[in-house]
Amino acid sequence: EPEVTQTPSHQVTQMGQEVILRCVPISNHLYFYWYRQILGQKVEFLVSFYNNEISEKSEIFDDQFSVERPDGSNFTLKIRSTKLEDSAMYFCASTLAGGGETQYFGPGTRLLVL
Amino acid sequence: SQQGEEDPQALSIQEGENATMNCSYKTSINNLQWYRQNSGRGLVHLILIRSNEREKHSGRLRVTLDTSKKSSSLLITASRAADTASYFCATDAKNTDKLIFGTGTRLQVFP
């Protein structure tokens, strides 16, 4: 069964460094998302992406964050200058169509900022 | 806000028993989805119920939706130790497909 994959599974970085989290959505899906979950807290929406542009973003998704679909398969989240509070599990999700269809999540990247 | 809240926060049962988890939300929704998360792992989609549906089944899972009460329940019948996980509801509203997740219920099934 097709699934969303994410790399790396774990990333440790120093505060102020840039990180890029990578995702390969399900191949025929058109809508892509990033969510994050700080340890012990709710899963929070960051951004949605369709047709090579951001369709919606949350207040968390400030200028330090960016997303890109550099080729036909990858979908990346870049954090330009990491802060301690960016430590979280980051999930990528994809769906075939927008408008409330099932979102399939990847296994997540656990980011630790020291 | 459209935040979902699950109750109970934690539930411990014996294998073979049924587990019921509830989710409440605040604003009108388009769909409600239930996800499962094993400790520190990814989110596995369980079931999606649309706002015009009242009940849905998938294997040992039964989901109900009451839009008048803005609540949903997830019933797992004949639970197994492997069902031990956290369960989250997530809602989306019309004109947006971002999911708003609830606080989750931690289910422990003892063999």
Side-chain angles (χ1 to χ4, degrees), chain B residues 22-37:
Chain B
N22 303 296
C23 164
S24 61
Y25 56 90
K26 294 182 180 175
T27 60
S28 295
I29 63 168
N30 203 24
N31 306 288
L32 186 143
Q33 307 188 45
W34 283 90
Y35 287 86
R36 162 201 167 117
Q37 183 181 36

Side-chain angles (χ1 to χ4, degrees), chain A residues 31 33 35 37 41-45 48 55-56 89 91 95 97-108 110, chain B residues 3-5 30-31 33 35 37 39-45 48 50 88 92 95-103:
Chain A
Y31 294 76
Y33 310 86
Y35 292 80
Q37 184 182 32
Q41 297 188 24
K42 294 186 185 188
V43 176
E44 302 172 287
F45 168 79
S48 57
S55 43
E56 193 171 357
M89 180 80 101
F91 294 108
T95 184
E101 294 301 314
T102 297
Q103 292 186 21
Y104 294 92
F105 282 73
R110 185 170 295 285
Chain B
Q3 288 181 335
E5 302 292 334
N30 203 24
N31 306 288
Q33 307 188 45
Y35 287 86
Q37 183 181 36
S39 180
R41 310 285 287 276
L43 294 159
V44 176
H45 183 261
L48 179 152
R50 301 198 186 279
F88 296 90
D92 65 76
N95 302 317
T96 175
D97 50 359
K98 72 178 181 187
L99 294 179
I100 306 294
F101 280 80
T103 49

Side-chain angles (χ1 to χ4, degrees), chain A residues 51-96:
Chain A
N51 202 24
N52 280 320
E53 57 183 36
I54 290 173
S55 43
E56 193 171 357
K57 60 183 181 179
S58 71
E59 291 174 354
I60 303 166
F61 195 88
D62 61 21
D63 292 344
Q64 293 300 313
F65 291 87
S66 62
V67 289
E68 194 179 27
R69 189 152 162 82
D71 53 44
S73 58
N74 290 283
F75 178 50
T76 62
L77 174 69
K78 182 194 290 187
I79 309 175
R80 221 176 316 276
S81 177
T82 50
K83 308 184 188 83
L84 296 176
E85 55 265 35
D86 293 328
S87 295
M89 180 80 101
Y90 287 80
F91 294 108
C92 172
S94 71
T95 184
L96 181 58

Side-chain angles (χ1 to χ4, degrees), chain B residues 31-96:
Chain B
N31 306 288
L32 186 143
Q33 307 188 45
W34 283 90
Y35 287 86
R36 162 201 167 117
Q37 183 181 36
N38 286 67
S39 180
R41 310 285 287 276
L43 294 159
V44 176
H45 183 261
L46 296 176
I47 202 162
L48 179 152
I49 187 165
R50 301 198 186 279
S51 59
N52 61 354
E53 297 176 309
R54 291 295 164 257
E55 189 170 313
K56 217 161 178 184
H57 297 255
S58 176
R60 293 184 296 114
L61 306 181
R62 174 177 166 252
V63 167
T64 61
L65 178 64
D66 186 336
T67 52
S68 67
K69 294 181 180 175
K70 293 187 170 58
S71 67
S72 172
S73 67
L74 170 67
L75 168 67
I76 304 174
T77 59
S79 63
R80 305 167 183 166
D83 294 328
T84 295
S86 290
Y87 292 82
F88 296 90
C89 68
T91 56
D92 65 76
K94 289 181 172 57
N95 302 317
T96 175

